[in-house]
Amino acid sequence: MTKVFLSAKLPELATDVLKQSGIKVATYEGEGLIGHDELVAAVADVDYLITPLSTTVDQAVIDAAPKLKIIANFGAGFNNIDTAYAKQRGIVVTNTPAVSTNAVAEVTIGLMLALSHRIVEGDQLMRSTGFDGWAPLFFLGHEIAGKTLGIVGLGNIGSDAARKANALGLNVQYYKPNQLSDPEERSMRVTYAPFDELVKTSDFITINAPQTPQNHHQFDAAVFKQMKSTAAIINVGRGPIIDEAALLAALTAGEIGGAALDVYENEPHVADGFKALKNVILTPHVGNATVEARDAMAKIVADNVALVDQGQPAKYVVNR
């Protein structure tokens, strides 16, 4: 019987599919994330590996698994895996694209609304000192309708965020390496802007892009100085796209108005300086943390392992 190792606990749907396919399932049962040495030891006799994007699968892990045929990554990203070395070893690497689109787009909009209306800040106030009562100038925020949203990365998630933003009355502009066609832009009600222009003219900037070598620290000190002093930045893409030291300096100096971070440069570590700022919202990488999205992701990784076990090609291969 072939064997799959799950390096983290997954929704039951995944194990159900795998067991129905006649595959022996072993799961990491420890607290927190699996350690690198533990992962190396665990894959010695496995045919398949399912792992979350928070776990590094490097050359050492791959070398420790001589029977390995597929690494099914539980997540849309896959920068945690040495995909080139896996390809060299003849190992397929897959991801779970698209199914978390709605969840992450909803979080994008939710964080924007929370920043604008100071919802988290208000909750903290009510849990501490409370307030004296309604007053005309008390605890004012801003409406988002009529404001300009700049989306960096207009893939599935960015496009869905654009549709939701349009429904809320925002003017949407975007930046991506390849501009959409005019009919596509008109149908989505978005306008292309060069990166520098988007930075200077947006009231909100959302990062909905995957991590690439080209966009490491795309948002640095120089970029924050170009933003409006009232503008807010929201990162639900990947942490290293922002130079967090530069962001913290810009927030502290009042160069920009606020930030909401769901991903971090040195995840899961969060710099203490951010925690002290009232105009910053910090969430623990929950962009696609919904029952619906995680179940859909579980089905993809389990189905891919079952396909390979049956001698069929996997779907969503990222190192073809």
Side-chain angles (χ1 to χ4, degrees), residues 166-209:
N166 274 318
L168 291 170
L170 285 135
N171 303 306
V172 182
Q173 57 184 1
Y174 74 95
Y175 169 78
K176 60 180 298 206
N178 301 307
Q179 183 177 352
L180 299 177
S181 67
D182 182 65
E184 289 174 318
E185 289 184 347
R186 282 189 280 109
S187 69
M188 292 180 62
R189 294 166 58 196
V190 297
T191 303
Y192 174 80
F195 182 72
D196 287 350
E197 181 182 332
L198 180 144
V199 166
K200 293 174 183 176
T201 59
S202 296
D203 298 297
F204 304 96
I205 296 174
T206 67
I207 300 174
N208 298 100

Side-chain angles (χ1 to χ4, degrees), residues 41-59:
V43 298
D45 64 340
V46 303
D47 302 273
Y48 318 114
L49 172 63
I50 297 177
T51 189
L53 55 81
S54 53
T55 297
T56 298
V57 181
D58 56 14
Q59 183 172 338

Side-chain angles (χ1 to χ4, degrees), residues 87-169:
K87 181 178 179 180
Q88 183 180 326
R89 284 280 310 277
I91 299 166
V92 171
V93 178
T94 64
N95 69 340
T96 59
V99 292
S100 58
T101 294
N102 181 68
V104 182
E106 285 185 355
V107 167
T108 302
I109 300 299
L111 289 173
M112 190 190 319
L113 285 165
L115 276 174
S116 297
H117 291 272
R118 302 171 68 183
I119 291 172
V120 174
E121 191 181 346
D123 176 80
Q124 293 170 343
L125 175 70
M126 295 306 295
R127 294 173 188 272
S128 55
T129 59
F131 76 126
D132 296 329
W134 188 94
L137 299 180
F138 174 67
F139 217 77
L140 299 181
H142 290 278
E143 297 176 16
I144 66 172
K147 303 297 193 303
T148 297
L149 167 63
I151 299 177
V152 177
L154 202 72
N156 290 329
I157 295 170
S159 297
D160 198 31
R163 284 187 284 272
K164 296 179 189 328
N166 274 318
L168 291 170

Side-chain angles (χ1 to χ4, degrees), residues 57-74:
V57 181
D58 56 14
Q59 183 172 338
V61 174
I62 294 170
D63 283 342
K67 296 165 58 181
L68 196 60
K69 300 178 182 67
I70 180 174
I71 303 169
N73 212 40
F74 192 89

